[in-house]
Amino acid sequence: MGARYPVGQRLRILDVGMGRGTQALRLARAGHTVTGLESDPEMLGAVREALATEPAGIRERFRTIEGDGRETGVHFLPGSFDVVLCHGVLMYVDEPDAVLAGLARMLAPGGLLSLLVRNADALAMRPGLAGDWPGTLAAFDSDTDAGGPGPRVRADRLETLTATLAGIAAPLHEWYGVRVFTESVPPDRGLPAADELERLLAAEDRAGRTEPYRRVAALLHLCGVRG
């Protein structure tokens, strides 16, 4: 967002599927007005508990609502937000086009729609690097990811999402790869030492912006701008 909006500009942000609110709280602390939409009561409770410990100014500009991305039209008027975040949510939605159209309607003209999705064009990478050849061959023609520690999730293709964003008047502005080199790291492995972590993040950041590396990232970060 920093590259699109002037430093110091206070934005109206909607975080759809905010989870435990880590990202939403960070944005509220930075001075933005944040609305968090979350369907899981347990996660919503955790956010509200965390919010209760924040200074009054942050609590005043942070609103939480129980609901999901299919219900934005119920809770908000069109054009209510400068930024809509939908990170790690579409992978659990069977039919994302209607959800995306609803999110785009929430944006003011020039507003930013930020998506983080599973990359269907890279599903063969993880089993391939692990030497799981049956899994690798099956992944080439799949649009679901069953290789991680969690449940099977749906994946999206850059080409398809680019067309969808154009069709809902929020055409793709930029996109990045996320987790190019670290997708196969075991989830129970702790963080490396500070110097190594800095180099790791620098390598991931560069790969996520550079062809051809970003195309085989586990996740895609897409930014569409409302016309």
Side-chain angles (χ1 to χ4, degrees):
M1 292 190 305
R4 178 163 182 79
Y5 298 101
V7 175
Q9 181 176 346
R10 301 307 188 213
L11 302 170
R12 301 165 299 165
I13 299 175
L14 172 63
D15 189 353
V16 176
M18 67 173 168
R20 296 189 175 275
T22 302
Q23 181 172 245
L25 280 168
R26 186 180 298 119
L27 291 166
R29 291 170 186 146
H32 304 297
T33 300
V34 179
T35 300
L37 192 63
E38 175 54 55
S39 61
D40 187 322
E42 181 179 346
M43 290 189 178
L44 197 59
V47 174
R48 289 170 175 167
E49 286 183 14
L51 189 59
T53 67
E54 296 287 334
I58 294 176
R59 296 199 304 271
E60 290 169 1
R61 58 177 176 267
F62 195 123
R63 180 186 179 195
T64 60
I65 298 176
E66 185 170 354
D68 62 36
R70 296 168 295 184
E71 302 170 352
T72 51
V74 175
H75 299 291
F76 316 112
L77 293 174
S80 295
F81 299 96
D82 303 303
V83 177
V84 173
L85 309 178
C86 184
H87 293 175
V89 174
L90 288 185
M91 59 187 69
Y92 300 105
V93 177
D94 291 333
E95 299 180 0
D97 287 8
V99 173
L100 289 172
L103 299 184
R105 284 194 292 271
M106 297 302 104
L107 288 170
L112 179 70
L113 175 59
S114 176
L115 307 174
L116 187 68
V117 302
R118 177 66 63 176
N119 182 10
D121 290 323
L123 293 179
M125 290 297 295
R126 180 168 52 202
L129 292 173
D132 174 8
W133 308 123
T136 302
L137 292 169
F140 280 119
D141 300 314
S142 177
D143 61 357
T144 60
D145 183 8
R152 179 182 293 270
V153 296
R154 195 184 56 77
D156 289 284
R157 300 186 188 279
L158 176 64
E159 180 178 319
T160 302
L161 280 178
T162 299
T164 299
L165 291 172
I168 60 174
L172 183 66
H173 176 68
E174 184 57 277
W175 70 276
Y176 310 91
V178 179
R179 285 181 14 200
V180 177
F181 302 124
T182 57
E183 173 66 3
S184 60
V185 175
D188 56 352
R189 180 182 295 181
L191 290 175
D195 288 349
E196 183 180 354
L197 178 60
E198 183 178 355
R199 290 189 289 269
L200 181 156
L201 293 175
E204 282 283 353
D205 179 70
R206 182 164 180 178
R209 300 169 184 271
T210 305
E211 296 284 5
Y213 305 102
R214 63 179 181 167
R215 291 190 178 270
V216 296
L219 305 172
L220 299 177
H221 181 200
L222 298 89
C223 299
V225 175
R226 182 74 171 175

